């Protein structure tokens, strides 16, 4: 009898404790770990992403799914060799609930492997590496940005339609550059054009001179370049300083001129690029976003800020569906999968592999704006070869 009573008591006690724990859990903050570049050629991109993410959370009163959000962060330096250690700091040392990162494709591939092995929720707010939504795709990995192939493919079509038959490409030699060029080739091919020369240099080098001399000697109909951040600023200026902008049209994915125009100035005027964001979109959500961003940060948002904002919207959609209960992972994942994200770029949904299916815009540099010129490719989906999910 006594033994039975104490068993019952222990059971009740345990149940009571469980209730107490889950109630406390619901009040606990959700810990978001930013793994982004805060130094190096991509540092401005990391900051814009964080700003965008925080802005959405701030608009929701600091909460997603009814729970307050707190942040920790790690500077990944866009350094693939440090990626595993860096993400483990967030997962094991800081016990984050979600990792938001990163910009660099080489870094994100290492992160995705750790996220997959530890089943950590990962929202990628930039890096376009195709592998993470291809062979490495997983229920816990989402991307709020693009695949490297998407803007490249659109630019290939645009360049071909504008008469480029023989094109030279130039980029940093790593996954993002390689995949961007592949997308460009695929798009160009649909118009009958071809790439006749592929030039590369190691990331994040900016010694472009010898390669520009080679471009001048090759005399292609056009050049396609993938660079971003500080490297894009220098490339566009060097291209103009070499006088090439007068004779050989320079095309690129929009990263070439996004968040960089103040620094590129005259050298960037008139450049045509393709991207899932543009200045001057006639989208009410974009107008509200830009005004809020401007008020909060006293700066103009760029594509990276939008991707950060949308990473928070995606997480918010998942958390709202489970009322902040991270234990309900399947329901959280399925809510993000089904969400229609009301993005400043225009609303988008996610592909089966968790990439945005989105319009790619043609933009033209006018002053400090990447002015919307039209839709280059409508509802473009990354094909995600190798994703079994
Ligand atoms: C990438 O490494 O995937 C990457 C980096 C910067 C960009 C775009 C893609 O602007």
């Amino acid at each position: 009898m006594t033994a039975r009573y104490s068993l019952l008591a222990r059971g009740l006690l345990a149940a009571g404790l469980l209730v107490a724990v889950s109630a406390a859990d619901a009040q606990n903050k959700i810990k978001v770990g930013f793994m982004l570049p805060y130094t190096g050629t991509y540092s401005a991109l990391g900051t814009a992403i964080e700003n965008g993410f925080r802005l959405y959370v701030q608009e929701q009163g600091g909460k997603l799914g009814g729970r307050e959000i707190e942040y920790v962060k790690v500077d990944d330096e866009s350094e693939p060799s440090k990626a595993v250690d860096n993400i483990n700091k967030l997962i094991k040392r800081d016990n984050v609930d979600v990792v938001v990162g990163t910009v660099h494709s080489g870094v994100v591939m290492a992160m995705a492997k750790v996220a997959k092995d530890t089943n950590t929720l990962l929202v990628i707010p930039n890096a376009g590496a195709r592998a993470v939504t291809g062979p490495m795709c997983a229920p816990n990995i989402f991307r709020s940005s693009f695949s490297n192939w998407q803007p490249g493919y659109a630019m290939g079509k645009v360049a071909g339609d504008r008469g480029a038959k023989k094109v030279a490409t130039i980029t940093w030699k790593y996954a993002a550059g390689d995949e961007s060029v592949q997308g460009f080739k695929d798009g160009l091919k649909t118009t009958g054009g071809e790439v006749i020369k592929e030039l590369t240099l190691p990331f994040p080098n900016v010694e472009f001179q010898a390669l520009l001399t080679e471009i001048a000697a090759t005399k292609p109909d056009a050049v396609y370049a993938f660079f971003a951040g500080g490297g894009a600023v220098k490339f566009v200026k060097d291209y103009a300083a070499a006088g090439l902008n007068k004779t050989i049209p320079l095309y690129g994915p929009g990263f070439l001129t996004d968040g960089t125009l103040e620094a590129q100035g005259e050298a960037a005027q008139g450049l045509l690029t393709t991207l899932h964001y543009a200045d001057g979109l006639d989208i009410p959500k974009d107008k509200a976003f830009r005004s809020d961003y401007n008020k909060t940060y006293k700066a103009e948002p760029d594509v990276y800020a939008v991707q950060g904002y949308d990473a928070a919207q995606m997480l918010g959609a998942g958390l709202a569906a489970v009322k902040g209960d991270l234990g309900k992972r399947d329901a959280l994942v399925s809510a993000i999968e089904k969400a229609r994200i009301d993005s400043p770029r225009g609303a988008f949904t996610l592909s089966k592999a968790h990439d945005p299916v989105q319009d790619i815009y043609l933009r033209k540099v006018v002053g400090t704006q990447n002015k919307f010129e039209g839709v280059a490719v409508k509802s473009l989906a990354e094909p995600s070869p190798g994703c079994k999910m």
Side-chain angles (χ1 to χ4, degrees):
M1 178 91 176
T2 321
R4 258 174 68 203
Y5 171 79
S6 80
L7 250 182
L8 188 68
R10 262 190 275 158
L12 283 174
L13 193 66
L17 270 180
L18 275 181
V19 170
V21 167
S22 66
D25 197 36
Q27 269 142 37
N28 278 348
K29 294 179 180 176
I30 288 180
K31 221 181 207 187
V32 170
F34 289 123
M35 179 159 156
L36 292 168
Y38 294 104
T39 53
T41 202
Y42 288 160
S43 61
L45 289 59
T47 303
I49 289 167
E50 181 180 338
N51 285 350
F53 193 100
R54 284 178 181 269
L55 180 64
Y56 181 72
V57 174
Q58 182 188 303
E59 287 172 359
Q60 309 307 305
K63 292 182 180 180
L64 297 179
R67 288 179 63 184
E68 264 182 60
I69 302 297
E70 69 174 325
Y71 303 100
V72 286
K73 56 193 203 181
V74 162
D75 176 9
D76 70 33
E77 304 166 46
S78 296
E79 181 48 70
S81 69
K82 298 183 184 169
V84 170
D85 281 352
N86 280 331
I87 192 170
N88 276 329
K89 278 184 203 155
L90 293 174
I91 296 172
K92 297 193 175 137
R93 181 194 67 191
D94 300 332
N95 275 312
V96 300
D97 297 299
V98 189
V99 174
V100 175
T102 189
V103 168
H104 185 286
S105 274
V107 176
V108 94
M109 284 194 274
M111 294 172 73
K113 178 157 189 335
V114 175
K116 201 168 170 168
D117 291 349
T118 57
N119 198 25
T120 305
L121 197 56
L122 171 64
V123 186
I124 303 166
N126 185 72
R130 299 182 77 184
V132 298
T133 56
M136 300 171 81
C137 75
N140 56 309
I141 300 177
F142 288 90
R143 186 150 53 195
S144 67
S145 51
F146 56 89
S147 91
N148 290 317
W149 180 87
Q150 284 177 317
Y153 179 81
M155 194 70 243
K157 280 179 97 75
V158 170
D161 288 346
R162 298 176 65 87
K165 289 268 172 273
K166 298 199 178 302
V167 182
T169 62
I170 179 165
T171 182
W172 282 313
K173 183 78 200 139
Y174 81 105
D178 293 346
E179 294 173 354
S180 183
V181 166
Q182 186 58 52
F184 178 79
K185 282 185 188 167
D186 291 350
L188 187 65
K189 202 166 158 200
T190 67
T191 70
E194 61 174 333
V195 167
I196 54 160
K197 183 155 221 104
E198 295 186 45
L199 300 168
T200 60
L201 71 170
F203 176 88
N205 284 13
V206 289
E207 298 309 321
F208 299 120
Q209 223 45 57
L211 299 173
L212 292 174
T213 305
E214 211 172 328
I215 288 173
T218 306
K219 297 194 176 60
D221 298 333
V223 168
Y224 176 79
F226 169 90
F227 294 105
V233 170
K234 173 120 189 334
F235 180 77
V236 166
K237 287 179 122 177
D238 286 4
Y239 195 86
L244 289 172
N245 60 340
K246 301 270 177 335
T247 50
I248 309 172
L250 173 61
Y251 298 125
F255 315 117
L256 197 60
T257 56
D258 234 80
T260 55
L261 289 174
E262 301 269 351
Q264 287 164 334
E266 203 40 45
Q269 297 308 306
L271 287 184
L272 292 177
T273 62
T274 45
L275 202 63
H276 46 287
Y277 191 55
D279 294 312
L281 291 175
D282 193 14
I283 296 174
K285 177 74 184 180
D286 189 46
K287 291 184 177 141
F289 165 75
R290 290 174 85 102
S291 139
D292 280 2
Y293 193 94
N294 212 294
K295 265 184 225 139
T296 308
Y297 303 111
K298 312 278 174 275
E300 294 299 322
D302 56 19
V303 70
Y304 308 105
V306 171
Q307 293 167 176
Y309 187 85
D310 291 341
Q313 292 212 70
M314 285 163 58
L315 182 61
L319 286 170
V322 297
K323 300 198 167 50
D325 184 350
L326 284 159
K328 297 188 174 145
R329 171 67 74 81
D330 289 352
L332 183 147
V333 162
S334 123
I336 305 178
E337 286 173 338
K338 289 192 198 105
R340 184 174 179 277
I341 302 300
D342 187 14
S343 172
R345 77 188 84 171
F348 69 83
T349 53
L350 295 170
S351 69
K352 279 210 176 73
H354 297 175
D355 267 325
V357 178
Q358 55 196 345
D359 293 351
I360 307 291
Y361 306 122
L362 176 64
R363 314 109 49 85
K364 181 180 183 176
V365 175
V366 179
T368 54
Q369 299 237 309
N370 284 291
K371 215 170 93 343
F372 171 79
E373 289 281 297
V375 176
V377 183
K378 187 121 195 84
S379 299
L380 187 60
E382 156 65 37
S384 301
C387 172
K388 294 190 186 64
M389 190 160 56

